[in-house]
Amino acid sequence: MRLSNYLHSQLAISFFPIFLGLFFITSVVFLVKIASLTSVITMTSFELLKLYIYSIPQVIFYTLPISFFISLTICLSKLSSEYEMVVITSYGLNPLNIIKIFLPLTTILTIFLLVISLGLIPKTKYLTKAFSEIKKKEANFNIKESEFGQKFGDWLIYINGKDGNIYKEVTLFKSEKNSENFIVSDEAILENEKGHLSFKLINGKVFAIDDKELNQIDYKEMYINDSVSNVDVVNFDTSYNFWKDNLKKIEILMIFHFSFYHLFFL
């Protein structure tokens, strides 16, 4: 028991400085990558911190096994160079028994990395990608008041006033093959519902004009959804369903990722 505590303490002396150093360096790399997104989209400090938190599982996945391997090597090398290994083996323990002392800790580390690699990393990557797409869409819908030629999806849009995400005296127009649609609204609110942007129009009229007739509809509330969708962002249910669905498709890239996440630390 005392020998086990001693060996674990020697391992900890090497492990924590190496892990913290690698964690800091890798975090800086991810922070630079996250900061580069500000050239495309506008983010607050809280949103930058949110994206960094999403990247922490990847930082741990890359730094933890390397730190453990290096610190274990240093620990055993130190025991050998300072002749402590000779003293330990003189009490009847061979090197294989010493390695077995580290086996429970190695098993716990392996299970922990499996949870991170197969559970947390796919989820956080999905959240990061979905967040970036939402911010890009919001940037594209920076509609200015009293300016012509602006678009919301397939609709041309004109607004007379704006207060945050609330728009006053909104006019939308869309021309199709055999008809034209014209919408007027006293007020509109840009809503973000789980990553899907839409206009909520309040108190207005819809005019549908074709070659033969003109139809008018009065409404109190009406929604116009964003027609621009990103097919690359797939809805994420659970990590199990994510890997099951992608491995069923026999996608080479997914098989590579799945194998890499297993073999990296085994």
Side-chain angles (χ1 to χ4, degrees), residues 114-233:
L114 272 173
V115 173
I116 290 178
S117 61
L118 301 181
L120 293 180
I121 289 179
K123 178 67 174 181
T124 53
K125 281 188 174 181
Y126 163 77
L127 292 173
T128 301
K129 195 168 186 178
F131 176 82
S132 300
E133 290 302 322
I134 292 169
K135 297 299 292 185
K136 287 177 183 178
K137 286 184 179 183
E138 289 178 347
N140 291 334
F141 300 141
N142 186 19
I143 301 169
K144 300 177 182 178
E145 56 187 89
S146 304
E147 187 172 312
F148 294 96
Q150 302 177 96
K151 297 193 73 176
F152 179 82
D154 296 331
W155 294 84
L156 287 169
I157 184 171
Y158 175 85
I159 61 172
N160 197 39
K162 178 181 178 181
D163 182 14
N165 64 336
I166 301 175
Y167 302 84
K168 305 292 184 181
E169 298 180 21
V170 178
T171 304
L172 297 107
F173 174 78
K174 181 169 69 171
S175 178
E176 297 179 337
K177 190 173 183 180
N178 297 318
S179 65
E180 293 180 342
N181 299 293
F182 191 75
I183 302 175
V184 293
S185 175
D186 294 338
E187 185 177 89
I189 302 173
L190 183 63
E191 295 186 342
N192 183 349
E193 182 65 26
K194 295 181 179 179
H196 300 284
L197 295 178
S198 63
F199 258 132
K200 179 183 179 182
L201 304 175
I202 303 172
N203 294 330
K205 302 178 186 295
V206 179
F207 300 94
I209 308 169
D210 57 25
D211 297 335
K212 297 181 179 180
E213 60 182 3
L214 184 150
N215 296 314
Q216 176 183 329
I217 302 173
D218 296 338
Y219 64 88
K220 291 185 177 180
E221 288 186 1
M222 183 174 67
Y223 286 87
I224 297 179
N225 297 318
D226 168 30
S227 60
V228 180
S229 60
N230 192 327
V231 296
D232 293 333
V233 181

Side-chain angles (χ1 to χ4, degrees), residues 225-263:
N225 297 318
D226 168 30
S227 60
V228 180
S229 60
N230 192 327
V231 296
D232 293 333
V233 181
V234 181
N235 289 332
F236 189 97
D237 182 16
T238 62
S239 298
Y240 173 77
N241 291 333
F242 170 81
W243 289 110
K244 184 180 73 173
D245 294 341
N246 283 282
L247 290 174
K248 278 183 179 179
K249 297 175 184 176
I250 317 179
E251 294 184 2
I252 300 300
L253 186 60
M254 281 298 169
I255 293 175
F256 168 76
H257 284 310
F258 186 81
S259 303
F260 173 75
Y261 289 147
H262 274 84
L263 298 177

Side-chain angles (χ1 to χ4, degrees), residues 32-132:
V32 171
K33 184 179 178 180
I34 293 169
S36 65
L37 293 175
T38 56
S39 62
V40 181
I41 55 180
T42 303
M43 289 188 289
T44 63
S45 300
F46 174 76
E47 290 170 336
L48 286 171
L49 177 62
K50 185 178 180 179
L51 286 179
Y52 170 69
I53 292 173
Y54 288 159
S55 68
I56 287 179
Q58 295 182 66
V59 175
I60 293 176
F61 176 75
Y62 291 117
T63 57
L64 187 59
I66 295 174
S67 302
F68 182 78
F69 176 77
I70 294 174
S71 59
L72 184 59
T73 303
I74 292 174
C75 176
L76 295 177
S77 176
K78 182 180 178 182
L79 291 175
S80 178
S81 62
E82 295 181 359
Y83 302 103
E84 293 181 60
M85 189 71 74
V86 176
V87 177
I88 294 172
T89 54
S90 65
Y91 283 95
L93 290 175
N94 57 43
L96 184 60
N97 295 128
I98 297 173
I99 296 298
K100 286 181 179 179
I101 294 175
F102 295 108
L103 185 60
L105 184 61
T106 306
T107 303
I108 293 172
L109 178 65
T110 302
I111 295 172
F112 179 66
L113 288 174
L114 272 173
V115 173
I116 290 178
S117 61
L118 301 181
L120 293 180
I121 289 179
K123 178 67 174 181
T124 53
K125 281 188 174 181
Y126 163 77
L127 292 173
T128 301
K129 195 168 186 178
F131 176 82
S132 300

